[in-house]
Amino acid sequence: MCRSVDVKQAVLAKNDDLAATLRGDLARQGVAAVNLLSSPGSGKTELLGRVLARAVGRGVPVAALTADLATENDARRLARSGAPVQQVLTDGLCHLEARQVRSRLEGWLPKDTAVLFVENVGNLVCPASYDLGETLRIVLMAVTEGEDKPLKYPTAFGSAHLVVVTKTDLAEAAGFDESAFRAHVQQVNPGVEIVRTCARTGDGVDTVLEHALAARDGAPRHRPPLTPHPHVHDHAADGEQAHDHHTHPHPATTPVS
């Protein structure tokens, strides 16, 4: 057991070093990386597509990496925005790591990029422990997921610089208790801003983009109580079914124009 813990600590430590280097490299290029975390089905891809399209419409140079276990469906959807998009296929790996992000950016990221959005694998357990060199970490949750989600996944919500609620047009039908949700968020991450969004109507899209641009410009960020790697990662600790896949083959990458 101790050996397993040591190995995991070493993996996280190596990832932290690579993430710090990547963050510095991106900062020198004037790029802010935004790491988007959520459960599957939260509406993350649809909202990101709206944010990318809004940025392109405003002449803001943005790009996106999107990660999934299989298929290039999300990359094709995001590419409709007109922004440069690249798909990372993880072949079963339940999260992205800094090494994957760095290797995928080499020779691909446009030089004038202001914001790089990284859509992580749909999972609130594994990705929460891995720093990707991001400037801004956004955790998203749909109103259909239940008000107690922040209490069930405190590492994810407790490490967020910004919390985004999606699918707010379904709040009444889902019986979403927003006041309870906000209280639970503040319990694990006091002072963090919560943004309400609806990809269908466009509500909150500009607000999310402005937060990303503010991070690029060096504006003060909220300081979450947890770092991306507060302890050795235990997939069962936060209550979600997941498996440890640290030894998977090198993931494939497909650029989408």
Side-chain angles (χ1 to χ4, degrees), residues 65 72 86-89 100 103-105 250-255:
L65 288 178
E72 299 171 15
Q86 190 175 79
Q87 179 80 55
V88 179
L89 299 179
Q100 296 167 301
S103 67
R104 288 351 182 218
L105 296 182
H250 196 49
T253 306
T254 304

Side-chain angles (χ1 to χ4, degrees), residues 7-162:
V7 170
K8 290 181 179 180
Q9 287 177 331
V11 169
L12 290 174
K14 183 177 181 179
N15 182 82
D16 291 346
D17 289 342
L18 290 173
T21 299
L22 177 58
R23 186 163 27 249
D25 291 343
L26 290 173
R28 282 186 287 275
Q29 297 172 45
V31 181
V34 178
N35 186 5
L36 303 174
L37 283 71
S38 78
S39 299
S42 68
K44 178 169 74 266
T45 304
E46 187 65 24
L47 179 64
L48 177 55
R50 291 296 188 104
V51 172
L52 293 173
R54 190 66 54 88
V56 171
R58 290 172 50 179
V60 178
V62 293
L65 288 178
T66 180
D68 248 323
L69 277 66
T71 84
E72 299 171 15
N73 294 345
D74 286 352
R76 283 192 286 268
R77 291 170 61 190
L78 294 178
R80 295 171 192 159
S81 67
V85 177
Q86 190 175 79
Q87 179 80 55
V88 179
L89 299 179
T90 67
D91 293 332
L93 192 68
C94 60
H95 60 274
L96 279 175
E97 297 180 8
R99 63 179 176 82
Q100 296 167 301
V101 175
R102 185 182 65 173
S103 67
R104 288 351 182 218
L105 296 182
E106 293 175 357
W108 171 76
L109 187 68
K111 292 183 179 180
D112 64 342
T113 302
V115 180
L116 169 69
F117 291 92
V118 181
E119 183 182 19
N120 220 312
V121 178
N123 185 332
L124 280 176
V125 180
C126 316
S129 294
Y130 285 83
D131 184 352
L132 301 184
E134 67 259 29
T135 308
L136 187 69
R137 173 174 288 205
I138 300 178
V139 174
L140 304 91
M141 193 200 88
V143 298
T144 53
E145 296 183 62
E147 301 83 3
D148 59 348
K149 200 87 170 186
L151 302 181
K152 292 181 176 180
Y153 303 94
T155 301
F157 283 89
S159 63
H161 298 111
L162 180 70

